[in-house]
Amino acid sequence: MELPLLHLALVGTPNSGKTSLFNALTGSRQKVANYPGVTVERKEGFFVTPQGRQVSVVDLPGTYSLRGRSPDEEITRDFVLGKASGETVPDLVLCVADSTNLRLTIRLLLELKRTGRPMVLVLNMFDIAARRGITVDVERLAKELGLPVVTSIAVRKGGTADLLKLTDEISAKLAAEAEANSWRALSVAELRATQREADRIIADCVSLPARPDTWTARIDAVVLHPVGGLLVLTLILFVMFQAVFAWAQPAMDVLKSGFDALGELVQATLPDGLLQSFLQNGVISGVGSVIVFLPQIILIFLFILLLEDFGYMARAAFLMDRIMGGAGLHGRAFIPLLSSFACAIPGIMATRVIDNKRDRLTTILIAPLMTCSARIPVYTLIISAFIPAKDVWGFINLQGLVMFGLYAAGIASALAVSFLIKFFMLRDYAPAPFMLELPDYKMPRLKSIVIGIYTRAKMFLVRAGTTIFSMMVLIWFLASFPQPPVGATEPAIDFSLAAMIGKALEPLLAPVGFNWQIAVALIPGMAAREVAVAALGTVYAIEGGKEAAEQIGQVLATKWSLATALSMLAWYIFAPQCASTLAVIRRETGSWTWMAVTFAYMLVLAYAASLLTYNVAVALGAG
Amino acid sequence: MTDTNDTRPHMPLGLAKRGYTGVIQHLSAREAGSALSDIELESRLIELGFVEGARVEVLHEGLVGRDPIAVRVDSITIAVRRREAMAIIVA
Ligand SMILES: Nc1nc2c(ncn2[C@@H]2O[C@H](COP(=O)(O)OP(=O)(O)OP(=O)(O)O)[C@@H](O)[C@H]2O)c(=O)[nH]1
Ligand SMILES: [Mg+2]
């Protein structure tokens, strides 16, 4: 007989390894990192138990209670209580605990018991507990709690075998067990009572050696030092941005010459004509010019992944809390903002951990000002074309320094905007509390880093192959048609639709020093920032005709003034050139207004910044 | 729980210096002047393990106004602002 699907839910305090367990059970690759609040969405996956039972398992955001104080915690509460619309209540709740730190989970578990759902306590991270000399009397704990207890090591192969076996045993006799839900929000006295009860149970069943993680203490002595800690943080960010520029170069050169060779091959083998132009100008000069930046994107992700896995993110939030508070930002905003260096979309999603609505909204509004990885191609292209690659003070690469400056400008303007929001809009603002668990450091796991990078690189390439490619086809078409009349002497592109559109927009952008080619590139650049690079590549390649085997960077160096280049950099610090980010803002704030506000304020800032930059640069003789 | 610090004066954790160790005597959310309601603040503190009898140690402090503080509560480390820590009375 085919048994019905068994529904499991993973519930537990933040950072206890729920997602790791989910990945281990289902073979998924959901994001895992060493700080509280990584998962902010509900994710379902499937697996089959050793005895062949079909199981659905849902990974949920971590929470300390079922009160649901922030949007992510509400997701967990609603799912466990069966409030989420169209959802079945889980048949079995797996309460996942960090075995080195049972107090808060056992309290949560005592609260969860009131929901009446059948439950299992999973003592995860049992390897770390064993290493620290923590011993748990599993049988006694199960008896005290009145439910099955099983140990697990989510990140080790076979580390979930016991859990799988138990799932089979339990699923056989489940139906009888479910009880009525008697949960309601706990009073302070009840909370206290559950914590007392939890502490009593732990005292009875767990022996803790007086040996905290000495490594964590040693590292924190430096990393959380009031002054030293901030220096370390600055140094980390500085090295990160320098590295993006300096270390990625060799790999980028290889890719670049690869695309050059490909272009030459196309030119040599295909007859002149539309197909040759499409492949050479549209695909290779366009999409190729974006793919070249893959090494830089991988590097920035590598840095962020390492910091996340190591356990540094929560520390950085601690260091920055009061400093960001001066600008009206909450300490919890730091992690979403730092992830926005990779991409604003997960950054904006991550703001779900911020419980105060205003703090969350401010963070969402400024997250797109953080220099995301899609700006890297634009910045790099212009910097390498216009900024000499010399060293300053002997060891700092000038190009890297400019890059760092652009990141700094993004951060500074984000803080300034947040300050203005606090000052003008939210005057009666009372700072919401900052409370954050600082997890023990963990050695970053090679496998999870590799998977993380692989997923991100794949996303980038898929985007290059879809969004960017389709934009390129459009631009190539606009820039190639209509074809010039026979006997025309001007470059063919002057007769095209692209030139018409660009020239119509030119008067609007002339004050900031943009020519019509840039105007054409900015419009498809709304879909994604990198598209602008590809679009410039295509437009200039078509304009240059067959001789233009040159790299787009070299073309820009001859066609643009320094003032135009700087103005373009200033534009990209602010411009809202990303449709997906705007869509996520709309979804997360639940309002078109905030999306429109973001778009408008960024556009105004971009124009103003470019106007200023261009005119100052021209006045200084860079026109 | 046995309290070995009976002789020490009670004080809010929010005033403790780095290196301070003590035991939580009680919670008094009214004293804190937090943006949260008393009940909410007390609930959150309890959910993070700040209950009577727990051992606390102030491990680190921030730069601006020595705020926030990183507190060891039994087996975990929690960052809180001094304002909220005023609600935790220790000795
Ligand atoms: N050594 C060891 N590390 C683990 C184990 N399980 C998880 N981890 C690590 O613990 C950290 C947190 O894991 P996650 O799976 O992201 O935790 P989570 O419960 O999903 O966290 P949130 O989504 O923030 O609630 C990561 O650094 C994992 O690599 C384990 O069994 N052993
Ligand atoms: Mg998770």
Side-chain angles (χ1 to χ4, degrees):
Chain A
M1 190 189 75
E2 183 76 9
L3 286 161
L5 195 63
L6 182 72
H7 292 272
L8 304 187
L10 293 164
V11 184
T13 53
N15 211 41
S16 58
K18 297 175 292 300
T19 306
S20 305
L21 204 55
F22 177 83
N23 289 347
L25 291 172
T26 63
S28 323
R29 290 174 184 159
Q30 293 301 322
K31 179 167 173 159
V32 163
N34 189 16
Y35 61 87
V38 180
T39 307
V40 293
E41 280 181 299
R42 183 162 58 83
K43 277 270 152 54
E44 187 173 21
F46 300 91
F47 68 94
V48 181
T49 62
Q51 291 186 14
R53 180 79 191 250
Q54 302 273 346
V55 182
S56 133
V57 54
V58 172
D59 184 26
L60 292 162
T63 181
Y64 294 106
S65 79
L66 281 185
R67 289 187 304 125
R69 308 160 310 168
S70 49
D72 61 327
E73 294 187 1
E74 280 167 17
I75 293 174
T76 305
R77 179 199 60 196
D78 291 348
F79 189 81
V80 173
L81 298 179
K83 281 196 208 159
S85 51
E87 289 297 341
T88 44
V89 279
D91 299 317
L92 178 66
V93 171
L94 302 182
C95 182
V96 184
D98 168 353
S99 307
T100 62
N101 167 17
L102 285 172
R103 284 187 80 211
L104 307 188
T105 312
I106 302 246
R107 200 214 63 74
L108 174 69
L109 183 129
L110 294 175
E111 182 176 344
L112 279 168
K113 272 174 85 172
R114 301 183 177 205
T115 64
R117 304 314 311 163
M119 198 158 35
V120 169
L121 172 62
V122 183
L123 297 176
N124 190 38
M125 306 201 191
F126 211 68
D127 53 332
I128 306 181
R131 204 179 326 131
R132 300 241 180 102
I134 299 171
T135 51
V136 184
D137 185 342
V138 176
E139 264 164 46
R140 177 138 185 222
L141 189 60
K143 221 167 107 213
E144 290 267 7
L145 293 170
L147 43 81
V149 178
V150 67
T151 63
S152 104
I153 305 170
V155 294
R156 193 175 296 166
K157 207 163 178 233
T160 57
D162 290 354
L163 175 62
L164 286 171
K165 208 168 121 235
L166 188 72
T167 309
D168 265 331
E169 287 166 22
I170 292 177
S171 68
K173 49 173 184 172
L174 250 185
E177 274 186 41
E179 287 164 29
N181 177 7
S182 65
W183 183 88
R184 62 199 155 69
L186 268 56
S187 71
V188 170
E190 286 172 308
L191 277 175
R192 194 173 262 120
T194 48
Q195 184 63 65
R196 285 254 169 83
E197 171 75 356
D199 283 340
R200 184 192 63 75
I201 294 174
I202 291 169
D204 283 353
C205 307
V206 182
S207 74
L208 294 160
R211 178 152 54 101
D213 185 17
T214 46
W215 271 109
T216 296
R218 265 182 246 170
I219 298 172
D220 273 346
V222 180
V223 161
L224 289 183
H225 184 274
V227 181
L230 286 171
L231 288 178
V232 170
L233 177 59
T234 320
L235 189 73
I236 289 175
L237 293 182
F238 187 78
V239 170
M240 178 159 115
F241 302 137
Q242 277 278 322
V244 165
F245 215 93
W247 300 356
Q249 206 54 50
M252 289 174 67
D253 287 342
V254 171
L255 282 177
K256 222 181 259 174
S257 36
F259 280 110
D260 284 351
L262 208 61
E264 276 158 31
L265 188 74
V266 167
Q267 198 177 357
T269 48
L270 288 177
D272 284 5
L274 280 180
L275 180 65
Q276 188 204 51
S277 159
F278 174 71
L279 286 180
Q280 199 186 347
N281 300 330
V283 180
I284 295 169
S285 295
V287 179
S289 63
V290 173
I291 293 182
V292 163
F293 294 96
L294 184 63
Q296 287 190 321
I297 310 252
I298 289 183
L299 256 181
I300 191 114
F301 276 113
L302 175 66
F303 265 92
I304 293 181
L305 284 170
L306 282 174
L307 292 178
E308 287 180 344
D309 266 25
F310 185 50
Y312 185 72
M313 295 301 246
R315 267 81 186 174
F318 173 86
L319 290 170
M320 293 301 292
D321 176 57
R322 278 298 293 267
I323 295 170
M324 303 207 313
L329 277 174
H330 192 261
R332 287 300 296 262
F334 185 83
I335 297 173
L337 291 178
L338 192 64
S339 354
S340 299
F341 282 135
C343 175
I345 294 168
I348 289 169
M349 302 267 298
T351 63
R352 289 186 185 180
V353 300
I354 303 174
D355 53 88
N356 183 288
K357 282 212 177 66
R358 290 168 168 185
D359 288 332
R360 177 156 182 247
L361 184 61
T362 311
T363 313
I364 291 178
L365 290 184
I366 64 168
L369 288 177
M370 294 287 145
T371 303
C372 68
S373 58
R375 284 176 176 100
I376 292 178
V378 184
Y379 286 175
T380 309
L381 177 68
I382 298 177
I383 289 176
S384 22
F386 290 90
I387 310 290
K390 61 178 184 198
D391 283 349
V392 279
W393 305 315
F395 64 100
I396 298 170
N397 175 313
L398 181 63
Q399 294 183 331
L401 196 65
V402 173
M403 193 74 160
F404 183 67
L406 289 168
Y407 275 96
I411 298 170
S413 49
L415 293 180
V417 169
S418 150
F419 184 79
L420 290 178
I421 295 176
K422 173 179 133 183
F423 193 75
F424 285 112
M425 294 164 57
L426 312 172
R427 284 204 119 157
D428 53 337
Y429 176 87
F434 169 76
M435 296 182 189
L436 181 65
E437 203 179 321
L438 304 178
D440 286 341
Y441 291 104
K442 292 199 174 69
M443 200 59 191
R445 303 170 44 77
L446 182 67
K447 192 174 152 211
S448 83
I449 300 277
V450 169
I451 287 178
I453 299 242
Y454 169 79
T455 339
R456 271 33 163 250
K458 201 171 104 185
M459 253 159 68
F460 175 77
L461 290 177
V462 166
R463 226 148 67 95
T466 53
T467 318
I468 300 179
F469 177 74
S470 49
M471 283 295 144
M472 268 10 282
V473 174
L474 181 72
I475 292 178
W476 172 83
F477 179 82
L478 290 178
S480 306
F481 296 97
Q483 300 242 301
V486 221
T489 48
E490 296 95 334
I493 199 166
D494 284 3
F495 298 91
S496 69
L497 283 165
M500 286 178 226
I501 299 172
K503 284 181 177 149
L505 284 171
E506 204 176 5
L508 214 60
L509 293 172
V512 302
F514 291 179
N515 53 24
W516 73 261
Q517 289 90 343
I518 300 182
V520 172
L522 288 186
I523 303 171
M526 289 297 309
R529 290 188 169 85
E530 313 95 320
V531 173
V533 167
L536 286 171
T538 301
V539 170
Y540 279 116
I542 294 180
E543 181 176 312
K546 269 199 292 296
E547 312 82 67
E550 276 175 306
Q551 279 298 326
I552 168 73
Q554 290 147 356
V555 178
L556 294 189
T558 58
K559 304 248 170 179
W560 291 5
S561 67
L562 179 59
T564 295
L566 295 177
S567 168
M568 181 83 168
L569 288 178
W571 175 271
Y572 261 89
I573 296 175
F574 300 102
Q577 303 265 65
C578 177
S580 337
T581 301
L582 292 170
V584 168
I585 292 179
R586 141 92 198 98
R587 193 183 72 202
E588 293 294 308
T589 60
S591 112
W592 291 97
T593 318
W594 287 117
M595 185 189 101
V597 166
T598 314
F599 182 78
Y601 100 79
M602 291 182 75
L603 197 62
V604 169
L605 279 183
Y607 199 88
S610 292
L611 194 66
L612 187 74
T613 310
Y614 184 65
N615 285 301
V616 169
V618 170
L620 293 175
Chain B
M1 248 165 245
T2 52
D3 183 0
T4 49
N5 295 316
D6 260 349
T7 49
R8 285 169 64 176
H10 290 196
M11 70 182 251
L13 185 64
L15 297 179
K17 298 226 161 59
R18 197 161 73 85
Y20 175 91
T21 56
V23 173
I24 298 180
Q25 304 300 315
H26 63 274
L27 298 184
S28 172
R30 220 168 317 132
E31 244 101 295
S34 165
L36 298 178
S37 73
D38 293 353
I39 291 183
E40 179 61 27
L41 176 59
E42 201 167 333
S43 305
R44 285 199 199 183
L45 288 173
I46 295 171
E47 282 164 16
L48 288 175
F50 289 101
V51 291
E52 289 73 4
R55 313 201 135 266
V56 289
E57 176 177 0
V58 180
L59 294 179
H60 307 280
E61 27 186 45
L63 179 65
V64 184
R66 300 170 163 256
D67 197 31
I69 48 177
V71 186
R72 187 89 189 161
V73 195
D74 280 352
S75 56
I76 59 172
T77 309
I78 308 253
V80 285
R81 292 207 193 114
R82 287 189 179 271
R83 181 193 286 266
E84 275 73 35
M86 291 303 283
I88 304 164
I89 310 300
V90 290

